[in-house]
Amino acid sequence: MPPPPVEFAILAAACRFNKPLTVLRRLGVLGPPTVRRNAAEAFVPSPFRQVVVQSGKLLGTPRFCHTTAGMSECLPDVYASQVLNVLKSTSADNADLSGVLHQFMVHMDEDIILMVLQKQRSNWQVALAFFNWAATLPGYAHGSRAYTEMLDILGRMKKVRHMRQLFDEIPEERRQVVVTNKMFAVLLNRYAGAHKVQEAIEVFYLRKDYGFELDLVGFQILLMSLCRYKHVEEAEALFREKKDEFPHVTKSWNIILNGWCVKGSLRDAQRIWNDIIASKVERDLFTFGTFINALAKNGRISAAVKLFKQMWEKGINPDVAICNCIIDQLCFKKKIPEALEIFGEMNDRLCQADVATYNTLIKYMCKIKRMEKVYELLDDMEAKGCSPNNRTYSYILKTTEKPKDVIALMQRMERSGCKLDSDMYNLILNLYIKWKYEKGMQQIWDEMERRGSGPDQRSFTIMVHGLHSQGKLDEALQYYTTMKSRGMIPEPRTKILAKAMHMKKDGSAAEDDSASMAGKHLKLDHRSRLFNVHR
């Protein structure tokens, strides 16, 4: 086997030292740090993560990382975490980071810079200071991803003047590489979010100066941004005004229709719907779904159902989201037979019901105590491979009347692979307290602790209020004291109740004396994990 190339030998030797970059620079192999976002990569031996050797020069990110666990400090996310730790102790108005971040200079690339910026989204001043510091690194220039992220941070924090200044200061020779359609979409969205409609429109037309076409897709992004922040009236006016530039296609109509629906103006949504019909533009699934949802949410369920059935007549099969909307509103209006009819039609037309469909029906069937239908639906969803979730079972649990019904349902949950969460445990705990089923209460409490699902603040609150309602003041106060000892903050109503119980027991006017009971007054019961009070 021929000896390895000299570059590989130098590289392997250098990586045996703690600071391989320093060794390579002294040998003259590596010049000043260079970072290029899309640097080419050549094949290198497996012990190295990223090294490109060509004509005696190293290209790309100057980062040499052995893949063994001992060199894990070379990972980008580790460097990013270290930078973030430094920034945490940095004043927000400290624009000079060269001193505190000097140690990270040789490791910086756009991936690390992007990770740091994404973790500083709510701290725009530090993010901008870091961004400006990174721009001064030798051989490095921000790429499109870093610029776009920084612009988005400034826009999200309503610093649109800084956002525009940063955009305008992109070096002219870098614009072709850095400025992208995504960047313009961020600018449009953030101007609209800051309620600067005219500036958003101007930025759209600025695309032309940067070599982008004023195309329909870009115009639709502008309309969506305006509608997202409730500037629907301005979006519609622009949509109609620019009809000659941008034809009225279905998607553009949908954006305006959805804007009015989201804003809650059914009258305007109805007007746009009529205009769509008059325009002879083909209505698609989104058009129907948007308007049906608006009608249903505004109580016009009959009109929504009529339109829903028109879809099938026109050969447009509603998706499961539209069906769920209709079924939910029919059930809400207590038109359960009609909801079941729609549910049956879904099966006939091969529109597969999902867990939300079944949950809606089960919820309302439980309310009217039609338990035979509830279990029929539960069997049906399991047979069709639609796994019930905690919400499904919680609706049914609330209808149970005996502990044995709860146990049977818990066994069914276990068979179906549905794990009990803290909300489910608390629901069962509440039922057992209501039924005064002490053995079950203890079993659920122990199981919560064993599985790590509680008991949480809600569990203790249930026990305190439940035991108080049964006249068991000593036990209720034990739970209250234990809750406080575990650092949980009682709800105001629980504090008032504890004060009332103390006053009733010994006439104390204190809000609670759990603090004074810490230490010698408490003894841990290892079975119940509660602190018992010993005066």
Side-chain angles (χ1 to χ4, degrees):
M1 182 181 293
V6 65
E7 295 93 337
F8 286 16
I10 292 172
L11 196 56
C15 285
R16 286 196 290 270
F17 292 83
N18 289 333
K19 297 181 178 179
L21 293 176
T22 304
V23 175
L24 290 168
R25 288 199 181 96
R26 287 178 180 174
L27 291 172
V29 177
L30 180 65
T34 59
V35 181
R36 300 182 185 176
R37 177 178 165 233
N38 294 319
E41 294 187 5
F43 172 76
V44 292
S46 59
F48 303 98
R49 286 192 59 228
Q50 180 182 351
V51 178
V52 181
V53 182
Q54 186 177 8
S55 303
K57 296 181 180 179
L58 294 174
L59 304 176
T61 303
R63 192 190 323 130
F64 304 90
C65 300
H66 201 280
T67 56
T68 59
M71 293 293 286
S72 62
E73 68 272 14
C74 295
L75 295 173
D77 55 344
V78 176
Y79 283 131
S81 297
Q82 292 172 351
V83 172
L84 287 165
N85 287 335
V86 173
L87 292 179
K88 281 180 184 178
S89 58
T90 303
S91 174
D93 56 359
N94 182 8
D96 183 15
L97 298 176
S98 57
V100 293
L101 294 180
H102 179 77
Q103 59 182 311
F104 301 106
M105 287 180 61
V106 296
H107 304 303
M108 285 295 109
D109 65 9
E110 192 173 37
D111 289 334
I112 296 175
I113 290 167
L114 197 62
M115 289 181 200
V116 173
L117 290 176
Q118 288 170 345
K119 294 293 184 180
Q120 292 290 328
R121 284 177 177 169
S122 59
N123 196 354
W124 71 270
Q125 288 172 301
V126 171
L128 184 58
F130 172 74
F131 181 87
N132 290 334
W133 167 80
T136 66
L137 296 177
Y140 173 79
H142 285 307
S144 176
R145 293 182 300 158
Y147 265 109
T148 302
E149 183 64 32
M150 190 67 241
L151 289 167
D152 195 39
I153 290 170
L154 293 171
R156 182 185 288 110
M157 303 306 292
K158 303 295 187 288
K159 303 298 175 182
V160 290
R161 184 175 62 83
H162 290 82
M163 180 182 74
R164 183 57 184 269
Q165 181 181 348
L166 180 63
F167 178 75
D168 290 340
E169 288 177 354
I170 295 174
E172 189 171 350
E173 66 275 9
R174 296 274 300 156
R175 288 179 179 177
Q176 189 173 359
V177 177
V178 169
V179 181
T180 62
N181 275 311
K182 183 178 180 180
M183 186 179 291
F184 273 109
V186 166
L187 291 171
L188 291 175
N189 192 49
R190 293 307 171 195
Y191 268 122
H195 308 296
K196 296 185 179 294
V197 175
Q198 191 56 44
E199 287 87 340
I201 296 171
E202 289 172 2
V203 164
F204 169 70
Y205 281 98
L206 190 65
R207 289 166 55 89
K208 195 171 183 180
D209 295 342
Y210 286 80
F212 293 94
E213 293 182 8
L214 300 178
D215 57 5
L216 181 60
V217 173
F219 184 66
Q220 289 170 344
I221 291 172
L222 172 61
L223 295 179
M224 281 191 286
S225 298
L226 294 176
C227 289
R228 182 178 294 122
Y229 294 100
K230 308 298 177 69
H231 298 292
V232 191
E233 189 174 348
E234 292 89 339
E236 184 186 341
L238 187 67
F239 167 71
R240 295 185 185 278
E241 180 186 339
K242 302 297 180 181
K243 181 178 180 180
D244 294 336
E245 287 183 63
F246 306 106
H248 287 181
V249 297
T250 301
K251 184 175 180 179
S252 301
W253 278 113
N254 287 347
I255 293 168
I256 304 299
L257 176 65
N258 186 63
W260 284 121
C261 291
V262 170
K263 195 172 181 180
S265 178
L266 184 60
R267 184 178 63 179
D268 286 301
Q270 181 72 64
R271 176 175 54 81
I272 295 297
W273 175 262
N274 294 336
D275 287 348
I276 293 173
I277 295 173
S279 71
K280 306 298 183 182
V281 170
E282 194 68 32
R283 291 167 290 174
D284 61 11
L285 188 66
F286 188 86
T287 320
F288 278 98
T290 300
F291 194 50
I292 285 171
N293 185 60
L295 289 169
K297 293 293 174 63
N298 280 272
R300 295 182 56 185
I301 188 63
S302 297
V305 171
K306 182 179 178 181
L307 193 59
F308 175 77
K309 293 187 175 180
Q310 281 182 16
M311 290 183 69
W312 274 326
E313 292 169 5
K314 291 178 176 292
I316 304 173
N317 290 328
D319 61 9
V320 68
I322 298 174
C323 294
N324 288 348
C325 172
I326 292 290
I327 289 172
D328 182 68
Q329 289 302 311
L330 284 170
C331 288
F332 180 74
K333 293 289 186 180
K334 300 181 180 178
K335 297 183 177 182
I336 294 177
E338 290 93 329
L340 290 172
E341 183 183 342
I342 299 292
F343 176 70
E345 288 180 348
M346 287 176 68
N347 293 327
D348 295 342
R349 296 176 184 271
L350 303 179
C351 178
Q352 183 64 48
D354 61 12
V355 67
T357 319
Y358 283 102
N359 281 353
T360 297
L361 291 169
I362 287 172
K363 172 186 174 181
Y364 287 100
M365 290 295 173
C366 286
K367 283 186 176 183
I368 61 174
K369 303 294 184 182
R370 285 190 56 187
M371 300 313 296
E372 75 290 344
K373 187 63 178 178
V374 167
Y375 283 99
E376 181 185 321
L377 288 166
L378 192 60
D379 292 338
D380 186 57
M381 67 188 300
E382 288 180 341
K384 291 181 178 176
C386 181
S387 300
N389 57 20
N390 283 348
R391 180 170 291 185
T392 317
Y393 287 109
S394 69
Y395 293 140
I396 305 173
L397 272 171
K398 290 173 185 177
T399 67
T400 54
E401 297 178 352
K402 297 177 183 178
K404 67 176 184 179
D405 298 332
V406 173
I407 294 168
L409 206 57
M410 288 174 66
Q411 290 172 344
R412 181 163 186 164
M413 287 181 68
E414 189 173 346
R415 288 196 301 270
S416 66
C418 184
K419 304 294 183 183
L420 274 76
D421 58 14
S422 58
D423 289 336
M424 292 289 285
Y425 278 119
N426 287 335
L427 173 57
I428 296 169
L429 191 64
N430 211 7
L431 289 170
Y432 283 168
I433 283 186
K434 184 176 70 173
W435 298 331
K436 300 180 181 180
Y437 182 43
E438 294 184 7
K439 181 181 177 182
M441 288 159 50
Q442 189 62 57
Q443 287 174 343
I444 287 295
W445 194 269
D446 291 343
E447 188 172 340
M448 276 195 286
E449 290 198 321
R450 187 172 64 254
R451 295 196 176 186
S453 300
D456 56 13
Q457 188 256 13
R458 179 63 182 154
S459 311
F460 280 100
T461 302
I462 290 169
M463 294 301 290
V464 171
H465 288 264
L467 291 169
H468 169 263
S469 67
Q470 297 176 18
K472 299 178 179 179
L473 303 191
D474 285 334
E475 292 182 45
L477 285 171
Q478 287 173 25
Y479 278 94
Y480 182 77
T481 302
T482 307
M483 174 169 59
K484 295 273 287 183
S485 72
R486 295 187 183 184
M488 300 176 191
I489 301 174
E491 297 175 12
R493 66 190 181 101
T494 309
K495 288 184 178 181
I496 294 170
L497 183 64
K499 180 179 178 180
M501 285 191 289
H502 279 297
M503 291 178 68
K504 187 172 182 179
K505 279 177 79 326
D506 52 24
S508 172
E511 179 183 338
D512 69 76
D513 58 357
S514 58
S516 66
M517 291 192 293
K520 63 181 180 180
H521 296 300
L522 298 178
K523 184 178 180 182
L524 182 66
D525 184 315
H526 293 285
R527 180 177 179 276
S528 65
R529 308 302 298 171
L530 295 176
F531 284 106
N532 294 313
V533 184
H534 295 270
R535 296 189 182 279

